[in-house]
Amino acid sequence: QVQLVESGGGLVQAGGSLALSCEASGRTFSSLAMSWFRQAPGKEREFVAGTSWRGLSISYADSVKGRFTISRDNAKNTVYLQMNSLKPEDTDVYYCAAGASRVVDAISSVNFWGQGTQVTVSS
């Protein structure tokens, strides 16, 4: 079993930045692919960014390319999401996710979820 705890959400003005963190416990973190998803009320949860277990394979949703950066520190069992140039449409609950696939970029490949952290971008 893996426990994922997100932190770093909050309220920011459009154009600003936020950094999310997700700390994992309960299983060898370095063997898991890690990702971030987001979900707005009434909408499906969508993939945002993902990294393979060594960080050599990284992918982003088109909507965040060039603005968001995912990274991981296996020594700290933590994955990060740096979000720059935030837009009101980035307002969502952001979820940390982990899975055994090489890259976790679909809900079907997620084995573990965090509880989510709210990100609100005001215009």
Side-chain angles (χ1 to χ4, degrees), residues 17-106:
S17 298
L18 277 177
L20 305 182
S21 298
C22 172
E23 185 172 356
S25 62
R27 180 176 162 174
T28 304
F29 174 79
S30 61
S31 68
L32 297 171
M34 301 295 298
S35 295
W36 291 93
F37 286 72
R38 64 186 184 185
Q39 186 173 24
K43 293 188 176 181
E44 291 187 356
R45 193 168 296 188
E46 64 177 12
F47 171 76
V48 176
T51 174
S52 59
W53 68 277
R54 286 200 297 177
L56 298 180
S57 181
I58 290 178
S59 60
Y60 296 97
D62 288 342
S63 58
V64 307
K65 280 181 181 176
R67 301 188 298 121
F68 290 12
T69 302
I70 188 171
S71 61
R72 66 188 294 162
D73 185 339
N74 288 345
K76 296 182 178 180
N77 287 358
T78 301
V79 63
Y80 307 95
L81 185 67
Q82 178 65 44
M83 305 184 292
N84 299 328
S85 302
L86 282 161
K87 306 175 182 180
E89 51 264 42
D90 293 318
T91 296
D92 276 322
V93 177
Y94 284 71
Y95 295 89
C96 180
S101 303
R102 186 178 65 85
V103 175
V104 175
D105 57 3

